[in-house]
């Protein structure tokens, strides 16, 4: 072997075994299993195996293949037909849904390990390119109105959602980075910060910070309040216990700071009022924890330890999974939620929050951040909500409740 010459990767290599994978037969089998009329496996099994309804999947296939020529069926150098768009998208979704090894799909879908990996990352990048603007954004004005109405009915006027962080273990984290990414979990992890609502829709997501951070460190690097400080969010006005407020808030864990935009539970509640408030707050804050549970169960690739070497690829997979999760929530909202409760979720036709994109003066920006971080407002809001919750639920949860 000539050690002075550079080894050539890719393409045909002399001596390597050539496998005839009979792609046409596998493609016919896929169509017969799921897409012919009648299919061997019905809509319920399709939804179970690929985490979405068939109609949504076919829409994604059409739009992905229109955007990225990688998914268009082509002929190779020998004239054989390549994989169809449905074939490639099925393999990518199977990888996201089950998180198994790429080599394990060869005997089922007749696709080599390297092609499976390439298909997965092409799919992930195209999904982000196509849908990130619509499915990774804060709520628009009419959507926010619906969210506020739903949360007010639960006892929290002015509540926008719940905020929390999730860790994704990074099994193949480079050794030189392991100390930076290893936190209280004991193994290298990467953090996802998200805001979710009762219907499990994720309205804010930032991923990529090392697992050595805690929720406060993540918050200090998060852009969650940038739009609010810049005056580009819808106005929120509500009254609690007779007092007016002009900023929405998130339900948060105890570790979060005492800001006007967070409402936390009461530590070691002593009085009945505090116990009732803590119970209701912790129950509603489960929205975001339920969302993380559904997201990880739906896409096992982020439930299992990540085996990729590249931080960029991890970021792409997580963002694509959040986008697909939100697409499924929007597509299936009418199945699980009363349609009257979701009037106002108009989708892409809903007008933007504001057309004014002027950058505010630095003094105004600082004053807004001071209002966001106001401990006095945080204390007053919590006290008002304690009284408000007691007025709604106290009689039914107290020691003299009627059974």
């Amino acid at each position: 072997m000539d050690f002075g010459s550079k080894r050539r990767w890719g393409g045909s290599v002399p001596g390597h075994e050539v496998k005839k994978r009979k792609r046409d037969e596998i493609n016919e089998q896929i169509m017969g299993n799921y897409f012919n009329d009648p299919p061997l496996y019905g809509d319920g099994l399709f939804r179970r195996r690929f985490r979405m309804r068939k109609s949504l999947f076919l829409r994604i296939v059409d739009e992905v293949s229109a955007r990225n020529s990688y998914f268009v069926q082509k002929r190779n150098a020998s004239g054989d037909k390549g994989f169809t768009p449905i074939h490639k998208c099925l393999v990518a979704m199977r990888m996201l849904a089950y998180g198994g090894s790429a080599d394990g799909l060869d005997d089922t879908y007749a696709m080599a390990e390297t092609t499976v990996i390439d298909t997965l990352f092409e799919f992930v990048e195209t999904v982000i390119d196509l849908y990130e603007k619509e499915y990774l954004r804060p709520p628009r004005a009419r959507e926010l109105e619906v969210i506020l109405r739903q949360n007010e009915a639960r006892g929290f006027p002015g509540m926008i959602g719940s905020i929390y962080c999730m860790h994704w273990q990074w099994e193949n984290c480079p050794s030189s980075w392991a100390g930076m990414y290893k936190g209280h979990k004991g193994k290298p992890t990467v953090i996802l910060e998200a805001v979710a609502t009762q219907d499990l829709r994720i309205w804010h997501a930032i991923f990529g910070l090392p697992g050595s951070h805690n929720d406060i460190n993540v918050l200090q690097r998060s852009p969650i309040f940038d739009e609010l400080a810049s005056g580009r969010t819808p106005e929120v006005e509500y009254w609690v216990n007779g007092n007016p407020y002009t900023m929405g808030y998130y339900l948060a864990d105890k570790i979060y700071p005492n800001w006007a935009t967070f409402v936390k539970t009461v530590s070691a509640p002593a009085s009945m009022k505090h116990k009732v408030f803590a119970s209701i707050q912790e129950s509603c804050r489960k929205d975001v924890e339920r969302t993380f549970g559904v997201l990880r169960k739906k896409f096992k690739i982020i439930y299992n330890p990540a085996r990729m070497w590249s931080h960029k690829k991890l970021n792409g997979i997580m963002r694509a999974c959040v986008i697909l999760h939100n697409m499924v929530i929007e597509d299936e909202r009418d199945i699980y939620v009363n349609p009257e409760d979701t009037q106002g979720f108009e989708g892409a036709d809903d007008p933007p929050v504001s057309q004014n994109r002027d950058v505010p003066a630095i003094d105004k920006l600082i004053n807004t951040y001071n209002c966001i971080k106001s401990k006095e407002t945080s204390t007053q809001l919590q006290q008002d909500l304690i009284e408000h919750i007691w007025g709604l639920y106290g009689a039914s949860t107290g020691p003299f409740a009627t059974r």
Side-chain angles (χ1 to χ4, degrees):
M1 180 177 179
D2 183 6
F3 291 96
S5 61
K6 185 177 180 180
R7 181 173 180 179
R8 183 173 63 90
W9 296 94
S12 300
V13 179
H16 278 208
E17 180 184 0
V18 178
K19 296 183 176 64
K20 296 292 185 180
R21 287 186 166 84
K22 301 180 181 179
R23 295 168 183 165
D24 291 339
E25 294 182 11
I26 296 297
N27 183 62
E28 290 178 5
Q29 181 179 343
I30 289 173
M31 299 304 292
N33 286 345
Y34 299 109
F35 300 101
N36 289 346
D37 190 17
L40 178 61
Y41 304 110
D43 293 344
L45 279 174
F46 185 93
R47 168 66 177 78
R48 177 180 175 182
R49 292 175 179 175
F50 299 100
R51 310 311 197 238
M52 63 182 64
R53 292 196 285 194
K54 191 185 302 183
S55 57
L56 176 60
F57 175 80
L58 291 175
R59 170 197 155 194
I60 292 175
V61 170
D62 291 340
E63 293 173 352
V64 163
S65 56
R67 176 61 65 91
N68 190 343
S69 61
Y70 176 86
F71 292 91
V72 177
Q73 187 178 30
K74 309 177 185 71
R75 292 184 182 273
N76 59 22
S78 62
D80 297 330
K81 288 183 179 180
F83 299 105
T84 64
I86 287 180
H87 195 152
K88 289 183 177 179
C89 290
L90 274 182
V91 168
M93 281 304 304
R94 180 57 69 96
M95 281 291 293
L96 294 176
Y98 288 87
S101 64
D103 184 58
L105 297 178
D106 194 354
D107 55 350
T108 306
Y109 291 99
M111 187 178 288
E113 178 183 7
T114 54
T115 309
V116 170
I117 295 174
D118 290 344
T119 300
L120 172 64
F121 290 121
E122 288 287 345
F123 182 80
V124 162
E125 292 174 4
T126 309
V127 164
I128 294 172
D129 182 42
L130 274 171
Y131 304 115
E132 182 177 36
K133 185 177 180 180
E134 175 59 24
Y135 291 98
L136 274 182
R137 59 169 177 79
R140 298 189 178 100
R142 280 183 283 180
E143 294 168 334
L144 183 59
E145 182 181 350
V146 175
I147 293 170
L148 293 173
R149 186 174 69 242
Q150 292 173 342
N151 290 327
E152 184 175 3
R154 304 167 73 190
F156 287 95
M159 169 186 161
I160 302 174
S162 302
I163 186 171
Y164 201 47
C165 290
M166 181 188 86
H167 290 251
W168 183 17
Q169 182 182 337
W170 191 1
E171 182 177 292
N172 284 343
C173 175
S175 299
S176 57
W177 294 359
M180 178 172 61
Y181 281 85
K182 187 183 296 183
H184 69 280
K185 297 290 183 179
K187 297 180 179 179
T189 60
V190 190
I191 299 176
L192 169 70
E193 179 194 71
V195 168
T197 45
Q198 187 180 15
D199 64 350
L200 308 186
R201 173 69 148 83
I202 297 175
W203 295 100
H204 159 81
I206 175 174
F207 176 78
L209 290 175
S212 58
H213 289 59
N214 59 28
D215 292 11
I216 296 178
N217 302 138
V218 175
L219 178 65
Q220 291 171 346
R221 292 159 175 77
S222 172
I224 184 171
F225 296 123
D226 289 356
E227 294 289 307
L228 176 61
S230 301
R232 296 198 291 262
T233 58
E235 295 183 0
V236 176
E237 296 182 358
Y238 58 98
W239 292 72
V240 184
N241 196 34
N243 293 320
Y245 294 91
T246 58
M247 285 192 299
Y249 58 86
Y250 304 102
L251 298 187
D253 200 2
K254 298 176 184 179
I255 192 175
Y256 282 85
N258 296 322
W259 290 2
T261 47
F262 295 129
V263 170
K264 305 189 294 182
T265 187
V266 177
S267 300
S271 67
M272 185 57 66
K273 284 185 179 180
H274 288 175
K275 289 180 180 178
V276 171
F277 173 78
S279 175
I280 301 299
Q281 193 271 356
E282 291 166 11
S283 175
C284 292
R285 197 187 65 81
K286 294 292 184 183
D287 292 346
V288 67
E289 296 184 18
R290 288 172 51 234
T291 301
F292 286 151
V294 171
L295 181 68
R296 298 177 71 192
K297 290 292 186 180
K298 186 182 296 180
F299 301 106
K300 286 292 184 66
I301 195 170
I302 60 175
Y303 179 85
N304 300 327
R307 295 190 297 270
M308 282 68 67
W309 296 95
S310 169
H311 185 279
K312 181 180 179 181
K313 293 186 184 301
L314 294 184
N315 193 304
I317 289 174
M318 180 62 76
R319 287 162 62 198
C321 288
V322 171
I323 291 170
L324 292 170
H325 167 83
N326 284 340
M327 294 179 73
V328 172
I329 292 296
E330 181 181 281
D331 181 62
E332 300 182 358
R333 183 181 282 128
D334 58 328
I335 299 177
Y336 305 105
V337 182
N338 185 347
E340 295 181 358
D341 294 338
T342 59
Q343 291 179 359
F345 286 111
E346 302 295 340
D349 294 331
D350 199 9
V353 170
S354 173
Q355 298 297 333
N356 182 14
R357 292 294 173 179
D358 295 335
V359 178
I362 187 65
D363 293 340
K364 183 178 179 180
L365 196 65
I366 293 174
N367 290 336
T368 305
Y369 267 109
N370 288 335
C371 293
I372 291 173
K373 299 180 180 181
S374 172
K375 293 184 178 180
E376 293 78 9
T377 304
S378 174
T379 302
Q380 183 64 47
L381 177 58
Q382 186 185 54
Q383 292 301 320
D384 286 339
L385 284 170
I386 289 173
E387 296 295 331
H388 179 73
I389 294 292
W390 178 253
L392 291 177
Y393 300 104
S396 61
T397 58
F400 304 104
T402 303
R403 297 185 183 275

